[in-house]
Every structure is written in C-alpha cells, then in structure tokens.
Amino acid sequence: MAYQIRWTPEAADTFETIIRYLDEHWSEREIINFVRKTNHLLTQISLYPEMFKPSSKKPVRVANITWQTNLFYQIQEVEKTIILLSFWDNRQNPERQQY
C-alpha cells in the first residue's frame, strides 16, 4: 500500500523557490522536467519509503532529484505517511542545511 505524501510549509516554500529560480534563469522546459522528476520521485517514495539513504540527522532521509537538488523527508510508519521537509539546492552553503 502506498504511503500518503504530506508537504510541510517549508517544503512547499523551498520547492516554489526552485521553480522561481528555474523560471528566471532557465526555460519552461526545465521547469516541466523538474516537476516531472519530482513527481516520479514522490511516487517512488510513496511505494518504497526506505529506498533512499538516511541523512546525517536521522530519522530524516535524503533523495536526489537532480544533481543540483535533494529532497529531505521523514517516514511516519504508524500513519503510513511521508512528510516532505525541504528541497535543497546543493549549490548552497552546506553549513546552512539543517537536515
């Protein structure tokens, strides 16, 4: 059975920030590709929540969407829910990453 996906406000904000960046510096094609990759990844995570490695801050897991972007999420076994915590642009200062 697939897990439900729940977006935190931070995940929604950081996702929107990445979309805005793509819109300002790239083309609509890149936005479509990024959204498609993200949706595919979320489908995979909902079916196989433990397929990605734990981050250094357990119980958070990290999934690579593109070489520039990671997704941090948590698994809630009892509720059968995946909590999306944050999207992270890997070109940022790693010391600012909280997960």
Side-chain angles (χ1 to χ4, degrees), residues 28-62:
E28 187 172 339
R29 179 176 171 222
E30 278 74 24
I31 295 170
I32 291 168
N33 286 337
F34 179 72
V35 170
R36 186 177 296 138
K37 285 179 182 182
T38 301
N39 287 334
H40 178 71
L41 182 92
L42 294 178
T43 299
Q44 289 180 314
I45 291 172
S46 74
L47 295 172
Y48 308 103
E50 295 181 355
M51 74 182 291
F52 293 101
K53 67 180 181 174
S55 76
S56 60
K57 309 254 174 135
K58 293 182 181 178
V60 175
R61 291 184 174 268
V62 59

Side-chain angles (χ1 to χ4, degrees), residues 73-91:
Y73 69 96
Q74 284 184 313
I75 304 168
Q76 291 188 338
E77 291 290 340
V78 174
E79 296 88 3
K80 301 289 186 204
T81 303
I82 302 298
I83 308 298
L84 304 183
L85 301 171
S86 180
F87 290 81
W88 179 257
D89 183 335
N90 294 321
R91 297 168 290 182

